[in-house]
């Protein structure tokens, strides 16, 4: 067991990890735990210092130990569909983190230095939470953030998220106009989804944005306030590769390339 580098636990009634789980698996590079009754992660999980990918989803995790910040090589952290309300401040110590999935929890805020210290983060899934502020950072290219409690898109999005290509903020409470700085993203922001926000009910403003060649790209305008998917699947994301049913995302394409490569690597 101590020689394992990949471990997958799925569809199990598991409620807790064995007391010596960490000490017996210190060579793990990839750990996946999915569809279990697991409520807690042991405090010494941070001793799995070789981990590149940690995936704990569709379980009942309520808290994360602060030691998670000790995983200096961690590049992918998946915590989808648990019962998290708080993300520990130590997560900003994961300086190699490039993908973070926190979707389907009950999170109301992210750590104070989240935007400034996770400098390698390119993909962020935070949909279906209770966040009131949209997080931004320079490396982010994909932000999925529907079904939260945002009232606006930050004024400095053009400066703080200059590399964002996909921004999905459907079904929030955004009623204010798009910030002026979003014009700086015109060449990169190919997909902007805002259906289900009050702003999309302001016909004159939407018409103004759609008729302007200065605010958004042609591609972004095509999806701005449109609900476009099949019956019982009210919205489409990224050319029908993803659909959501107002609860969670259904992927019609293979999972993240990053995680597929890590899992399949020999």
């Amino acid at each position: 067991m101590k020689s394992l580098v990949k471990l997958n636990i799925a569809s199990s009634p598991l409620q807790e990890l064995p007391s010596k789980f960490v000490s017996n698996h210190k060579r793990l590079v990839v750990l996946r735990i999915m569809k279990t009754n697991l409520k807690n992660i042991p405090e010494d999980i941070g001793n799995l210092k070789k981990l590149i990918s940690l995936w704990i989803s569709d379980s009942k995790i309520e808290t994360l130990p602060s030691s998670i910040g000790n995983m200096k090589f961690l590049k992918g952290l998946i915590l989808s569909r648990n019962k998290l309300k708080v993300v520990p401040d130590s997560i900003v110590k994961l300086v190699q983190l490039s993908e973070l999935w926190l979707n389907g929890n009950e999170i109301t805020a992210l750590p104070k230095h989240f935007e400034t210290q996770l400098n390698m983060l390119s993909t962020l899934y935070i949909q279906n939470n209770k966040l009131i502020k949209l997080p931004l950072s320079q490396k982010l290219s994909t932000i999925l953030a529907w079904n939260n409690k945002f009232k606006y898109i930050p004024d400095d999005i053009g400066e703080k998220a200059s590399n964002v290509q996909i921004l999905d903020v459907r079904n929030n409470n955004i009623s204010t106009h798009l910030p002026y700085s979003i014009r700086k993203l015109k060449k990169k922001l190919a997909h902007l989804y805002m259906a289900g926000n009050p702003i999309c009910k302001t016909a004159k403003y939407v018409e103004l944005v759609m008729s302007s060649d200065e605010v958004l790209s042609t591609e972004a305008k095509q999806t701005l306030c449109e609900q476009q998917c099949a019956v019982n699947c009210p919205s489409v994301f990224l050319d029908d590769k993803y659909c959501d049913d107002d609860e969670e995302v259904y992927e019609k394409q293979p999972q993240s390339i990053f995680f597929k490569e890590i899992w399949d690597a020999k």
Side-chain angles (χ1 to χ4, degrees), residues 6-264:
K6 297 177 183 178
L7 178 61
N8 186 24
I9 302 172
S11 300
S12 166
L14 179 74
Q15 294 186 0
E16 61 180 13
L17 294 174
S19 58
K20 294 186 178 181
F21 178 84
V22 172
S23 60
N24 287 336
H25 296 88
K26 287 191 174 181
R27 295 189 62 188
L28 280 178
V29 175
V30 177
L31 174 59
R32 282 186 175 182
I33 302 174
M34 298 172 285
K35 296 182 180 180
T36 71
N37 291 321
L38 193 66
K39 291 185 177 181
N40 298 296
I41 302 173
E43 179 60 40
D44 61 350
I45 193 77
N47 291 331
L48 296 178
K49 296 184 178 180
K50 294 186 177 182
L51 272 187
I52 294 176
S53 172
L54 175 59
W55 187 312
I56 305 178
S57 68
D58 300 282
S59 295
K60 299 179 180 180
I61 302 299
E62 297 177 350
T63 60
L64 296 175
S66 59
S67 68
I68 201 167
N70 296 335
M71 300 177 182
K72 302 301 183 182
F73 297 106
L74 199 66
K75 293 184 178 181
L77 178 58
I78 304 297
L79 296 165
S80 305
R81 296 176 295 279
N82 281 288
K83 296 183 180 298
L84 292 170
K85 293 183 178 179
V86 177
V87 178
D89 291 342
S90 62
I91 199 173
V92 302
K93 296 179 181 180
L94 301 176
V95 294
Q96 298 296 321
L97 198 66
S98 61
E99 293 208 19
L100 177 60
W101 299 9
L102 297 171
N103 50 301
N105 284 283
E106 301 173 21
I107 300 167
T108 57
L110 295 173
K112 182 178 179 180
H113 299 293
F114 184 89
E115 296 183 345
T116 58
Q117 294 191 16
L118 292 176
N119 295 322
M120 299 300 292
L121 192 64
S122 62
T123 300
L124 178 62
Y125 290 8
I126 50 173
Q127 65 268 30
N128 294 316
N129 276 288
K130 298 179 180 180
L131 293 163
I132 60 174
K133 181 183 178 183
L134 180 67
L136 305 172
S137 68
Q138 286 295 338
K139 287 284 186 177
L140 279 174
S141 61
T142 299
I143 306 174
L144 304 191
W146 66 78
N147 292 353
N148 276 284
K149 296 182 179 296
F150 307 133
K151 293 184 178 180
Y152 61 91
I153 293 177
D155 290 337
D156 52 2
I157 188 172
E159 293 80 28
K160 282 190 175 181
S162 57
N163 289 294
V164 68
Q165 300 174 33
I166 302 165
L167 176 59
D168 191 333
V169 289
R170 290 170 295 167
N171 302 324
N172 278 279
N173 194 31
I174 299 171
S175 58
T176 58
H177 291 179
L178 295 175
Y180 187 83
S181 71
I182 204 168
R183 297 166 183 243
K184 296 180 180 180
L185 306 178
K186 181 181 175 183
K187 292 183 178 179
K188 288 193 175 182
L189 184 58
H191 301 277
L192 175 59
Y193 296 85
M194 297 190 66
N197 285 283
I199 189 175
C200 286
K201 295 180 181 180
T202 312
K204 288 185 178 180
Y205 177 69
V206 173
E207 183 179 349
L208 179 64
V209 172
M210 299 295 280
S211 62
S212 173
D213 293 327
E214 299 180 0
V215 183
L216 299 173
S217 67
T218 301
E219 294 83 0
K221 286 192 288 187
Q222 288 176 349
T223 59
L224 181 63
C225 288
E226 294 296 320
Q227 297 280 18
Q228 38 182 330
C229 206
V231 176
N232 297 323
C233 189
S235 302
V236 68
F237 166 68
L238 196 55
D239 301 326
D240 205 33
K241 289 182 182 178
Y242 297 77
C243 283
D244 84 86
D245 68 349
D246 288 336
E247 291 183 1
E248 213 19 271
V249 67
Y250 291 90
E251 300 187 25
K252 293 187 176 181
Q253 296 291 321
Q255 64 190 32
S256 161
I257 294 175
F258 167 76
F259 286 103
K260 187 175 188 302
E261 288 176 347
I262 293 296
W263 187 254
D264 292 343

